[in-house]
Amino acid sequence: MDPSVIAGGRTGAQDPGGRTAGPRTDHPDFGTLVRDEGADLVVCHVCGQGFRALGSHLRSHGLSADEYRTRYGLRRLRSLSSRALARRRSVRQAADFRTSAELRERLATGHAMSRSGELRRAAANRAGEPQPEELVRTRAAQLDAGRRTQSTRRARRLREALDGLGFDDLEDALRTLYVRREGDIDAVAAHLRVGRARVRALLEEYGIPLRPTGVNSAAGRRSRVGLNDAHAARRVGTHDIRQWLAERRAAGATLGDLAGETGRSIPWVAARLDGRRSASAVRAYGP
């Protein structure tokens, strides 16, 4: 730790008594609980001295623990104790909760409010109130960490898809799947295991022009047919949707039954039961 912190030079020298009203947003450690990790002490923002617990010390500055938290942007329930002391208290409180019926009864109301969502709703009702700086920073850090995690997962999933398709380069995969094979956006997205919006963004990033709306290629149409068949097959738990349809039809299922089970239309079912016939030939199969 910077020696000037303990000496009080960097922290609170402007206000040694600690009695100035309002949050000290100008304090260099505003929104952060300052610790001396080597000695496992909590450092007072006002005087820079380290303590195992700040509670009783704060009275010398005319502050309560809640006033101190508010003044220095700390979370409302932030422990002002050293890590070791906080751990011991946590263990003791957990043991007390297990062994004391009286304590469990006193805390039952709060637990019920938590389970019912009442505490969450109460917090939402305070959404317009200023939030402690520490809480703002914590939430921002958690959000950034979540985004990095999601980005890492997406990148890994895309790399696995490229490896499975035999591509070393993403641009080569896009030009092969979308341009040379004339696959549509849905097909490329399915191959690369990404969303449609992501495919569009990648095509733009690599300077690959999108086909005009309404321009369909034979490969694109075949790709959509394959995707529809694969989706229906997954829905009913088979690898061969045409064989499954034929077996169900032979067992007495109607076209309406098969359409409902596969989530497709009756013409779609009819076309796959007899690929040589037009989908409009549904009447030949009965209701």
Side-chain angles (χ1 to χ4, degrees), residues 217-232:
S217 65
R221 288 191 291 272
R222 289 194 300 272
S223 175
R224 285 192 293 276
V225 168
L227 288 174
N228 288 336
D229 288 0
H231 178 76

Side-chain angles (χ1 to χ4, degrees), residues 17 41 49 72 87 95 122 162 166 171 187 192 199:
L41 299 175
Q49 298 182 71
Y72 292 103
R87 281 195 297 269
L162 291 174
E171 181 178 2
L192 298 182
V199 171

Side-chain angles (χ1 to χ4, degrees), residues 24-64:
R24 281 289 307 276
T25 56
D26 61 328
H27 194 283
D29 292 312
F30 183 78
T32 303
L33 183 67
V34 185
R35 295 181 182 275
D36 180 347
E37 298 291 358
D40 191 18
L41 299 175
V42 180
V43 177
C44 176
H45 286 71
V46 182
C47 62
Q49 298 182 71
F51 300 88
R52 293 177 63 242
L54 289 181
S56 59
H57 165 72
L58 293 176
R59 290 197 290 271
S60 67
H61 298 302
L63 295 169
S64 69

Side-chain angles (χ1 to χ4, degrees), residues 2-280:
D2 186 342
S4 65
V5 174
I6 300 298
R10 189 168 69 87
T11 62
Q14 302 171 13
D15 182 21
R19 294 180 176 82
T20 302
R24 281 289 307 276
T25 56
D26 61 328
H27 194 283
D29 292 312
F30 183 78
T32 303
L33 183 67
V34 185
R35 295 181 182 275
D36 180 347
E37 298 291 358
D40 191 18
L41 299 175
V42 180
V43 177
C44 176
H45 286 71
V46 182
C47 62
Q49 298 182 71
F51 300 88
R52 293 177 63 242
L54 289 181
S56 59
H57 165 72
L58 293 176
R59 290 197 290 271
S60 67
H61 298 302
L63 295 169
S64 69
D66 287 341
E67 289 170 340
Y68 180 81
R69 294 185 184 97
T70 299
R71 188 175 184 215
Y72 292 103
L74 302 179
R75 300 175 67 171
R76 294 183 181 91
L77 299 179
R78 159 60 68 196
S79 169
L80 302 180
S81 303
S82 68
R83 298 188 190 280
L85 182 57
R87 281 195 297 269
R88 286 198 295 272
R89 285 176 176 171
S90 178
V91 171
R92 184 174 67 250
Q93 289 167 354
D96 290 344
F97 182 80
R98 288 193 300 271
T99 59
S100 172
E102 180 183 355
L103 178 60
R104 290 196 297 272
E105 184 176 352
R106 289 205 306 269
L107 297 177
T109 300
H111 289 169
M113 292 173 65
S114 177
R115 288 192 297 270
S116 68
E118 187 174 347
L119 291 181
R120 185 174 62 253
R121 290 191 293 272
N125 291 335
R126 296 196 304 268
E129 299 178 8
Q131 297 295 315
E133 179 66 18
E134 183 187 16
L135 181 59
V136 173
R137 292 181 181 179
T138 299
R139 287 176 174 171
Q142 291 172 341
L143 183 60
D144 288 342
R147 286 171 175 165
R148 287 194 299 272
T149 299
Q150 291 178 355
S151 178
T152 299
R153 288 174 179 169
R154 286 195 296 267
R156 183 171 62 246
R157 188 167 58 243
L158 178 57
R159 183 66 261 170
E160 290 172 352
L162 291 174
D163 291 342
L165 295 168
F167 293 106
D168 293 326
D169 180 74
L170 177 55
E171 181 178 2
D172 182 37
L174 290 168
R175 293 190 180 279
T176 299
L177 297 172
Y178 185 72
V179 179
R180 289 190 282 274
R181 297 182 186 174
E182 298 183 325
D184 62 8
I185 296 293
D186 287 326
V188 177
H191 282 306
L192 298 182
R193 298 169 61 186
V194 299
R196 298 176 77 254
R198 179 62 173 154
V199 171
R200 290 179 177 274
L202 289 171
L203 291 172
E204 181 178 355
E205 178 181 339
Y206 286 102
I208 302 173
L210 287 170
R211 286 191 290 273
T213 302
V215 176
N216 294 315
S217 65
R221 288 191 291 272
R222 289 194 300 272
S223 175
R224 285 192 293 276
V225 168
L227 288 174
N228 288 336
D229 288 0
H231 178 76
R234 286 195 300 271
R235 177 169 176 145
V236 299
T238 184
H239 295 293
D240 189 335
I241 190 62
R242 294 175 187 268
Q243 180 180 347
W244 184 89
L245 289 169
E247 292 174 353
R248 290 282 291 118
R249 182 64 169 165
T254 66
L255 294 181
D257 293 335
L258 298 176
E261 292 176 35
T262 58
R264 312 303 302 178
S265 66
I266 288 178
W268 180 90
V269 172
R272 277 144 190 81
L273 282 168
D274 188 351
R276 294 168 299 175
R277 301 193 185 190
S278 167
S280 62

